[in-house]
Amino acid sequence: MRGSGKRRFAALSLTLLGSAALAAPACGTTRPITLTFYSSGDVNVHHLWASDLLPMYAKICSQVHIRLVFSTHGTADQLTLDRLAAAKQAGKPSGVDLWESGLLLEAGQSGLLRKLSPAAISNLKRVNPEVFASYGGYGVPYRGSSVVLAYNSNHIAHPPRTLSGLERWIQAHPGKFTYNPPNTGGSGDAFVQAVLEQFLQPAESKAFFTGYAPQLEAQWKPGWHELIKLGKDMYQGGFYPQGNVGVLQALGRGSIWMAPVWSDMSLSYLAQGLLPSSIKLEQLQPPFYGGSAYIGIPKDSAHPQAAEAFLNWLLTPGPQAVVVHQMHGYPGVEWKYVPSSVQRKFAAIAENYGVGFSPKFDADMAQKWSQKVAGSH
Amino acid sequence: MTTLQAGARTQQEKRPIRAQLTGLLLVAPPIALLALLVAWPAVSAISFSLGLIPGNNLLFSQGLHLIRSDHPTFQVYKALWGQPAFRADLALTVGVALWSTLSICVLAYALALYTHFHRHRLATLLRSLYLVPMFVPVVIASYGLLLFFEGRGWLGSLIAQLGAPYRSPIFHQGGVVLGQVWQGIPFGVLLLGAGLEQIAPELLDAARDCGANIWTLLGRVILPLNWTGLLIVATFTFIGGMGSFTIPFLLGPNAPQLLAVEMNNYFGSFDQPQPAVAMAVLTFLIASLAGGLYVFATYRQRKL
């Protein structure tokens, strides 16, 4: 009771002081409005929004009510895309003001999303430009995660620091390394991409990250040979567990000693004791790719300024610290913009991550892997 | 009098029409639902797999490596058939479906016969045990099989204690068949058992009195009378095996994979809805062949 009274008083005093000009850029509106936010992910993402970030924002911008519509595991993402497309066709508002999804690039290219820029969302200047560009500027990356190398320190004192060092290690320790099929999770996907990437023609390699030209895939050939060659030195002579979790479990059981893993998943597994503390993480040079969660604004949103203000706030130190601590995630902004205490805590992996192949190249890579590498023995 | 009779007659004539209409109205909703949710998507899927790409379906029209055509073409199927990986998937799927059908028919028949003709305690125990898989969700059961049969699982550890070599069926074709058998046994035994109940005991007694042994009894009396039941079990097990997803997803090999898992990969991960839909059409065709065989056989039996 007292809390809500105080909040109302705070809001009242702001308007009474005539600070509408001050409140408007911070919250994007002075009158009470409702933003509908479609989000998706695992239960931890739901928790992040419902219990942490949205209540935090309600304290700052009490006139902005954010209605969360959550799709567990993103199963309704395609429906949301269809809904936006249908609304555009019918010339009616979709009712979506904010959308967190992996489909933002597709939606943006179909003309369904606003182009975002640092002019309207000033904190975008703190975001790694490559990470922002990889979604075509249609989404704000507010939290990230990177694939890193996990190793069992009981058996390994000096883990390899480079990819070629890792490949030598795998061949010297048959059966002690594996990764998941690329289509079942990003950690294996990142390893496969790293192996292919080292053979790309430098002049054209940029195209793999931003565009799509299937004829360039011929450059993957030496990479496939390398992966097929490594196959017999994998766990059980060539077994690839299903998904990121399958790999973490093999690591936890002690069946394997080293594997590529997602930073956020393995950090929370370590925190929960699902991985023994002998498992350590480090990043290779050049780093494995990472990924970010992006939020975009549909073109037909009735409150674009308020939506932009919310996204700008997400990139400020307060919510970014929540992301790092609660989600064990990488910040959406570059590491240099988070407090040095946080930087020290994640010293072994606190680096900018690499960028993944564009979604279409990635899809082709997963298919070719399953035909060439998984089916090779 | 005559007008009254005439009125009664027309009323009598009207009633069947009204009844017919009511009947039609009653079946209309399920048929409309079927047409909307099954028939229409099936038609649009088939035309998509023939190269006709609908402009208003983002999911279809934005896929990778689409084969576009103004007129129906079999290019998509040709391209699929050209891939050794697809042929391996198809062979594995049909192989798994056939092996699990055969195993389930033999095992379920043996169980049904045993529990039908024996009334002692072991048979009673078996009667409740074979139903267990029905009450265990398939995901849980698959995970249980995984833990039990995996290389470092229960069975492996036990055999290792005895110093014998152990080659786990998990992540191979055998693992998938194992899962299918586990899942299919209750349905098979229940259906075959119900068929056995229908056979008059007098027939069996008469045959026995004429000196028939158990094999003659089985081959000349029981099987011919229970033929439809066996056919139903075989057909449904085969169709179920063709479309099985959860069991091969959890227990199957990395490659080749069962078609349902591969369809899911193509549709989701590889962003290639067209080959995925073509695989679905092919699976449906193979399954309907099995269905057709069943309809033909039961129709013939009814005529006999």
Side-chain angles (χ1 to χ4, degrees), chain A residues 38-49:
Chain A
Y38 275 61
S39 172
S40 62
D42 219 318
V43 280
N44 58 342
V45 180
H46 183 249
H47 187 86
L48 174 76
W49 288 119

Side-chain angles (χ1 to χ4, degrees), chain A residues 49-192:
Chain A
W49 288 119
S51 312
D52 295 312
L53 293 179
L54 293 183
M56 259 173 97
Y57 195 61
K59 281 187 193 143
I60 294 167
C61 294
S62 55
Q63 71 271 43
V64 180
H65 169 66
I66 298 181
R67 191 167 74 90
L68 180 66
V69 181
F70 198 79
S71 153
T72 310
H73 302 299
T75 43
D77 267 14
Q78 187 63 44
L79 284 177
T80 311
L81 178 65
D82 292 347
R83 180 187 173 134
L84 292 176
K88 189 191 173 197
Q89 244 172 20
K92 286 179 181 159
S94 62
V96 184
D97 298 300
L98 290 158
W99 187 29
E100 172 173 13
S101 163
L103 300 176
L104 294 186
L105 185 62
E106 278 174 82
Q109 285 171 346
S110 309
L112 301 171
L113 299 179
R114 282 171 78 86
K115 262 277 201 217
L116 307 174
S117 76
I121 302 170
S122 58
N123 286 333
L124 270 175
K125 288 191 223 104
R126 300 177 166 194
V127 171
N128 179 349
E130 277 185 13
V131 174
F132 180 57
S134 73
Y135 260 51
Y138 292 111
V140 167
Y142 75 98
R143 70 180 157 88
S145 169
S146 177
V147 174
V148 294
L149 190 69
Y151 63 96
N152 191 327
S153 58
N154 287 343
H155 301 286
I156 302 157
H158 304 288
R161 300 277 174 199
T162 60
L163 186 65
S164 52
L166 174 59
E167 287 172 355
R168 278 195 301 276
W169 187 93
I170 294 170
Q171 286 169 324
H173 301 83
K176 294 298 172 197
F177 179 92
T178 194
Y179 57 96
N180 58 280
N183 66 301
T184 66
S187 56
D189 193 74
F191 175 76
V192 172

Side-chain angles (χ1 to χ4, degrees), chain A residues 244-328:
Chain A
N244 303 315
V245 170
V247 172
L248 286 169
Q249 286 170 343
L251 206 58
R253 277 201 307 268
S255 310
I256 53 169
W257 293 349
M258 205 188 283
V261 297
W262 278 109
S263 59
D264 57 344
M265 284 180 90
S266 40
L267 284 171
S268 49
Y269 267 53
L270 281 166
Q272 293 170 64
L274 291 169
L275 277 180
S277 57
S278 55
I279 300 293
K280 306 280 180 215
L281 307 178
E282 61 137 26
Q283 184 57 287
L284 292 185
Q285 275 315 323
F288 284 122
Y289 79 59
S292 283
Y294 293 78
I295 306 179
I297 305 174
K299 255 188 186 158
D300 60 11
S301 165
H303 310 290
Q305 279 81 26
E308 281 170 350
F310 173 69
L311 294 182
N312 198 46
W313 169 80
L314 270 182
L315 296 176
T316 56
Q320 287 296 302
V322 172
V323 161
V324 171
H325 291 297
Q326 293 279 100
M327 299 286 290
H328 302 286

Side-chain angles (χ1 to χ4, degrees), chain A residues 185-224:
Chain A
S187 56
D189 193 74
F191 175 76
V192 172
Q193 186 192 306
V195 174
L196 298 186
E197 222 180 307
Q198 53 185 341
F199 299 105
L200 301 184
Q201 304 293 327
E204 290 160 324
S205 67
K206 208 165 188 268
F208 283 94
F209 305 100
T210 49
Y212 182 60
Q215 70 276 12
L216 290 180
E217 289 171 9
Q219 295 183 22
W220 289 347
K221 210 173 165 195
W224 295 131

Side-chain angles (χ1 to χ4, degrees), chain B residues 106-277:
Chain B
V106 170
L107 263 173
Y109 220 120
L111 272 170
L113 285 171
Y114 186 80
T115 50
H116 182 71
F117 290 112
H118 292 63
R119 295 281 153 195
H120 51 73
R121 274 171 70 184
L122 181 66
T124 319
L125 186 72
L126 265 180
R127 246 195 300 281
S128 30
L129 271 184
Y130 72 63
L131 286 178
V132 168
M134 218 164 164
F135 299 101
V136 182
V138 62
V139 181
I140 313 263
S142 303
Y143 196 65
L145 290 172
L146 185 80
L147 292 184
F148 187 81
F149 286 103
E150 202 211 354
R152 295 166 68 105
W154 282 56
L155 191 65
S157 312
L158 199 74
I159 292 179
Q161 289 288 319
L162 302 172
Y166 173 63
R167 199 169 169 271
S168 167
I170 300 297
F171 307 130
H172 297 282
Q173 176 172 355
V176 187
V177 173
L178 203 72
Q180 291 294 122
V181 170
W182 160 274
Q183 200 200 6
I185 286 287
F187 170 72
V189 185
L190 279 181
L191 217 107
L192 293 171
L196 291 178
E197 299 285 341
Q198 310 259 311
I199 299 174
E202 295 80 9
L203 275 178
L204 301 174
D205 290 341
R208 264 199 213 106
D209 290 344
C210 296
N213 65 13
I214 175 78
W215 299 110
T216 320
L217 210 63
L218 191 68
R220 306 280 299 267
V221 184
I222 300 176
L223 258 178
L225 284 172
N226 202 10
W227 179 239
T228 320
L230 190 64
L231 209 64
I232 296 178
V233 171
T235 316
F236 281 88
T237 311
F238 181 80
I239 294 176
M242 283 301 298
S244 169
F245 177 79
T246 314
I247 293 167
F249 182 74
L250 287 169
L251 304 181
N254 287 133
Q257 289 184 320
L258 257 70
L259 282 179
V261 179
E262 202 67 294
M263 274 178 235
N264 184 51
N265 287 342
Y266 269 83
F267 201 82
S269 315
F270 306 158
D271 205 2
Q272 296 186 33
Q274 208 173 23
V277 166

